[in-house]
Amino acid sequence: MEHLQEHEASLEQTQRYCVQRPIYNEELLQGQLHRRERTPQTLSCSSKKAKSHLYSCIPILKWLPRYPVKEYLLGDIISGISTGVMQLPQGTFAVISMMVGGVAVREVPDEMIPVGYNSTNVTDSLDFDARDTKRVQVAVTLAFLSGIIQLCLGLLRFGFVAIYLTEPLVRGFTTAAAVHVFTSQLKYLLGIKTSRYSGPLSVVYSIAAVLSKITTTNIAALIVGLTCIVLLLIGKEINLRFKKKLPVPIPMEIIVVIIGTGVSAGMNLSESYRVDVVGNIPQGLRAPAVPDIQLIPAIFVDAIAIAIVGFSMAVSMAKIFALKHGYAIDGNQELIALGICNFVGSFFQSFSITCSMSRSLVQESTGGKTQIAGALSSIMVLLVIVAIGYLFEPLPQTVLAAIVMVNLKGMFKQFGDIAHFWRTSKIELAIWVVAFVASLFLGLDYGLLTAVAFAMITVIYRTQSPQYRILGQIPDTDIYCDVEEYEEVKEYPGIKIFQANASLYFANSESYTSALKKKTGVDPCAVLAARRKAQKRHGREIKKANALRKQASNDVEASVKHEIANDELPVNGRFAEASVQDMSPDEQERFVEPKPNIHSLILDFTPVNFVDSVGAKTLKSIIKEYKEVGVRVCIASCSAPVMNELTRLSFFDNTVTREWLFHSIHDAVLACQVKARSGSQADSDL
């Protein structure tokens, strides 16, 4: 094997890359190429296209027929049951729950109940029921409207916004969400009563509330919760160490729920030790009803926020699992799926939905592979609602809190990202930290918006402050690299090759020009200013010499005046500036700054993706300024889209032609050498 690798390496070293062709600029190249005739696309509907669109909207039709039963089914069953049991007593996602609850309380406040009345408890109950019924209508209408918004965005292909949720942003955001979820479970683990908090600093208020009532901790609930945590951690470790030997992971969540329910029922923990249990689980389903359309104007903005936060959370979790298991996600599919669920579910008085971090982690960690696990979880919830809910009524809430906390372990491991990004990229570290801190203290909704805005600012910063290089040739090749990076790289005499690893647009046009002048060592404005200064100094010297001549001899006054007139000195009592062209070579060497040590400047446009109007004007100004000091400017490796943009921006005219745009750096270098030789030959002939 080693001999084969050595043979391949020697073969690669002996191979040669030899090409002989003309020097191509864009004008010559385009003259030799023939563009393809593009036929206009017609809208046609074939069975293949229809099937492709159907699969993109409803992907289950594609993967379900190929479902590997032996490999996935058992894990999906265990995962679905485990997740279904967890789903019974709580809402899906704390942040969405708080957002919906805030809107419901705002639109239907407690003040709607009459004050100062004498009535029976039945009347009081009826009044509270009326308030709760109206709040349910608000929640249902929110689900209906957010579903329509998500569905429209999905059909309009707005799922591309998911690309702005970069990996550091997602990991920082989900780590903060894990802290939110962990904090929300503390009171259940400790068995204490605290108020619910939402909005900015809700985590701080929640922790402060728990600490203020830490002395009221229910010891029995804490012991049950800690015991469950230990059992779950042991089970997770066993599953991890013996993953290859176990046919399926040990379903510790189901085991813990069964044990917890049995112990609670047998020891009557709710009555004897005041341990909070799941309690009454309503049975049956309500008849479908149309949401209250009249509420839409009042809750429209809130529905947009809920739709965006719900989508962002779903995509964030999807990206985490996609990176872990090596598959791709489609933001448009996520929007359409969420939209259909919210829209259809609202007619059955369902809540605004999104993915749940804790349930998703439980489903993935217990062996769930496909949506079959989610379907089984839903069937489990349906069975509980319709028939067997009473069996789980004794389940202690501290058991559920323990399951949630243990399954957040993977999320908390993401704190290790800080060290990783510190070594690899400080900008990505900043994105992670901003996403985490903003989401932790401002809430997940405002935190997400802050993180996305900061990520976009970093993109602007990177393009506004690119790296600038002077390139040189690897000898006897057409490969060009940074001259400051490698010792072997050499520059051509009289030629500078300048590269910026960003596009040229309004945000970095000034820095581009400044870096160009600094890196090349030639500032046309400074050269022209020095020449004007030398011309003035030369005029003063001639004036002084003229005065000395007048004093030395009055006999040659006429000839001196003739000399002065020829030198264009005093005219009507004023001195004109001597031009550089009228100077002798000796005078130019004495009075004028030396010419630039380069005759050609090549701008490498390989990294340039676009040029706007400001960038085009800047580029034209660079060409004009360097031309005034005798330096030719040409552009190399300009892509076709950038070429089209320059044409549309009226960049090319009589002074700037495609003749100085080249297909590669090497073409530009060879052309500059030819021009330099022809120019020096012309000077020698003169």
Side-chain angles (χ1 to χ4, degrees), residues 514-563:
S514 301
L516 175 65
K517 294 175 180 178
K518 182 178 179 182
K519 286 285 186 179
T520 59
V522 177
D523 185 347
C525 296
V527 172
L528 292 175
R531 286 182 178 178
R532 286 192 293 268
K533 185 176 180 181
Q535 290 172 5
K536 291 180 180 179
R537 187 166 66 249
H538 179 53
R540 288 195 296 269
E541 291 288 342
I542 293 177
K543 178 183 177 182
K544 184 178 179 181
N546 180 51
L548 292 174
R549 291 190 192 104
K550 284 185 177 180
Q551 293 176 4
S553 176
N554 292 327
D555 296 336
V556 292
E557 183 177 353
S559 61
V560 170
K561 286 183 179 180
H562 180 68
E563 259 184 60

Side-chain angles (χ1 to χ4, degrees), residues 108 170 352 481 515 520 605 676 680:
V108 188
V170 168
S352 294
C481 302
T520 59
F605 263 41
S680 61

Side-chain angles (χ1 to χ4, degrees), residues 342-391:
N342 280 323
F343 176 76
V344 175
S346 65
F347 291 93
F348 296 89
Q349 298 191 356
S350 127
F351 199 74
S352 294
I353 66 107
T354 184
C355 81
S356 167
M357 175 178 290
S358 56
R359 277 68 163 183
S360 300
L361 293 171
V362 168
Q363 180 171 314
E364 189 266 345
S365 62
T366 52
K369 299 292 185 182
T370 67
Q371 288 91 330
I372 295 293
L376 291 174
S377 173
S378 301
I379 293 172
M380 182 76 182
V381 174
L382 181 63
L383 288 174
V384 170
I385 292 174
V386 173
I388 61 173
Y390 67 93
L391 294 177

Side-chain angles (χ1 to χ4, degrees), residues 140-368:
V140 167
T141 309
L142 272 173
F144 171 78
L145 190 54
S146 62
I148 291 177
I149 293 170
Q150 289 170 336
L151 192 57
C152 292
L153 291 176
L155 294 175
L156 293 173
R157 319 302 290 175
F158 266 76
F160 72 89
V161 298
I163 63 175
Y164 292 102
L165 301 176
T166 64
E167 183 184 358
L169 187 151
V170 168
R171 294 178 73 87
F173 174 73
T174 51
T175 306
V179 176
H180 276 275
V181 175
F182 185 88
T183 304
S184 69
Q185 300 300 314
L186 280 175
K187 63 179 182 181
Y188 298 112
L189 179 70
L190 300 174
I192 61 180
K193 306 288 184 182
T194 63
S195 301
R196 289 188 177 184
Y197 298 94
S198 61
L201 300 179
S202 59
V203 169
V204 177
Y205 296 142
S206 298
I207 294 176
V210 169
L211 292 177
S212 66
K213 294 189 177 182
I214 196 71
T215 55
T216 64
T217 298
N218 188 312
I219 303 300
L222 181 60
I223 291 174
V224 172
L226 292 177
T227 303
C228 292
I229 288 176
V230 172
L231 291 175
L232 288 167
L233 290 175
I234 292 173
K236 297 286 184 185
E237 188 65 24
I238 293 174
N239 286 335
L240 183 62
R241 291 198 175 187
F242 302 97
K243 183 177 181 180
K244 296 182 179 179
K245 296 182 179 180
L246 293 173
V248 292
I250 299 174
M252 286 305 301
E253 284 79 9
I254 298 177
I255 294 172
V256 165
V257 167
I258 293 173
I259 294 174
T261 304
V263 170
S264 177
M267 298 181 63
N268 196 13
L269 294 180
S270 177
E271 297 293 335
S272 303
Y273 300 95
R274 299 184 181 278
V275 174
D276 292 331
V277 296
V278 171
N280 181 49
I281 298 178
Q283 294 187 0
L285 295 174
R286 294 191 177 187
V290 178
D292 189 355
I293 307 300
Q294 296 179 351
L295 290 171
I296 289 179
I299 63 174
F300 183 76
V301 176
D302 302 287
I304 294 176
I306 289 172
I308 293 174
V309 172
F311 167 69
S312 301
M313 190 63 202
V315 170
S316 298
M317 290 302 298
K319 281 195 169 186
I320 287 177
F321 294 126
L323 289 171
K324 184 176 181 180
H325 297 287
Y327 60 87
I329 64 168
D330 186 346
N332 297 311
Q333 279 186 1
E334 300 294 326
L335 277 170
I336 292 172
L338 290 171
I340 291 175
C341 289
N342 280 323
F343 176 76
V344 175
S346 65
F347 291 93
F348 296 89
Q349 298 191 356
S350 127
F351 199 74
S352 294
I353 66 107
T354 184
C355 81
S356 167
M357 175 178 290
S358 56
R359 277 68 163 183
S360 300
L361 293 171
V362 168
Q363 180 171 314
E364 189 266 345
S365 62
T366 52

Side-chain angles (χ1 to χ4, degrees), residues 344-650:
V344 175
S346 65
F347 291 93
F348 296 89
Q349 298 191 356
S350 127
F351 199 74
S352 294
I353 66 107
T354 184
C355 81
S356 167
M357 175 178 290
S358 56
R359 277 68 163 183
S360 300
L361 293 171
V362 168
Q363 180 171 314
E364 189 266 345
S365 62
T366 52
K369 299 292 185 182
T370 67
Q371 288 91 330
I372 295 293
L376 291 174
S377 173
S378 301
I379 293 172
M380 182 76 182
V381 174
L382 181 63
L383 288 174
V384 170
I385 292 174
V386 173
I388 61 173
Y390 67 93
L391 294 177
F392 296 95
E393 289 180 357
L395 177 62
Q397 291 190 359
T398 186
V399 174
L400 296 170
I403 294 174
V404 171
M405 289 178 169
V406 170
N407 282 281
L408 291 173
K409 178 183 175 182
M411 290 291 104
F412 286 126
K413 285 184 177 179
Q414 293 180 162
F415 279 109
D417 293 344
I418 296 176
H420 169 71
F421 289 127
W422 176 264
R423 293 191 302 269
T424 57
S425 172
K426 300 299 189 295
I427 292 180
E428 290 189 334
L429 173 64
I431 293 174
W432 193 100
V433 171
V434 169
F436 174 77
V437 173
S439 301
L440 184 65
F441 293 107
L442 300 180
L444 296 184
D445 46 358
Y446 293 113
L448 179 65
L449 295 176
T450 303
V452 171
F454 181 79
M456 297 179 71
I457 290 173
T458 62
V459 174
I460 297 173
Y461 169 76
R462 291 186 188 191
T463 58
Q464 189 177 3
S465 303
Q467 294 181 352
Y468 302 102
R469 303 179 182 90
I470 294 295
L471 305 183
Q473 184 198 34
I474 297 177
D476 301 324
T477 71
D478 60 349
I479 302 173
Y480 293 82
C481 302
D482 189 354
V483 295
E484 297 179 359
E485 191 74 19
Y486 305 101
E487 295 180 357
E488 294 82 4
V489 174
K490 304 298 180 183
E491 291 187 71
Y492 283 104
I495 300 176
K496 288 287 183 180
I497 307 170
F498 179 76
Q499 183 194 73
N501 64 336
S503 297
L504 183 59
Y505 70 115
F506 70 92
N508 64 1
S509 58
E510 291 186 6
S511 62
Y512 186 93
T513 305
S514 301
L516 175 65
K517 294 175 180 178
K518 182 178 179 182
K519 286 285 186 179
T520 59
V522 177
D523 185 347
C525 296
V527 172
L528 292 175
R531 286 182 178 178
R532 286 192 293 268
K533 185 176 180 181
Q535 290 172 5
K536 291 180 180 179
R537 187 166 66 249
H538 179 53
R540 288 195 296 269
E541 291 288 342
I542 293 177
K543 178 183 177 182
K544 184 178 179 181
N546 180 51
L548 292 174
R549 291 190 192 104
K550 284 185 177 180
Q551 293 176 4
S553 176
N554 292 327
D555 296 336
V556 292
E557 183 177 353
S559 61
V560 170
K561 286 183 179 180
H562 180 68
E563 259 184 60
I564 294 173
N566 287 341
D567 287 340
E568 297 179 359
L569 283 175
V571 179
N572 296 328
R574 301 175 66 180
F575 287 88
E577 292 184 355
S579 63
V580 180
Q581 289 79 2
D582 294 334
M583 299 180 190
S584 66
D586 293 338
E587 289 173 331
Q588 289 187 22
E589 185 177 355
R590 178 183 176 187
F591 294 109
V592 182
E593 287 289 321
K595 288 185 178 181
N597 57 356
I598 64 173
H599 56 75
S600 299
L601 174 61
I602 300 172
L603 305 179
D604 179 20
F605 263 41
T606 304
V608 176
N609 294 320
F610 70 92
V611 176
D612 68 353
S613 60
V614 177
K617 291 178 181 177
T618 301
L619 193 58
K620 208 163 188 176
S621 175
I622 289 171
I623 294 173
K624 181 181 177 182
E625 288 180 0
Y626 277 90
K627 186 178 181 181
E628 290 179 356
V629 296
V631 178
R632 302 183 189 91
V633 178
C634 54
I635 301 171
S637 302
C638 187
S639 64
V642 175
M643 183 81 67
N644 295 334
E645 288 179 358
L646 291 174
T647 303
R648 189 175 64 253
L649 294 169
S650 302

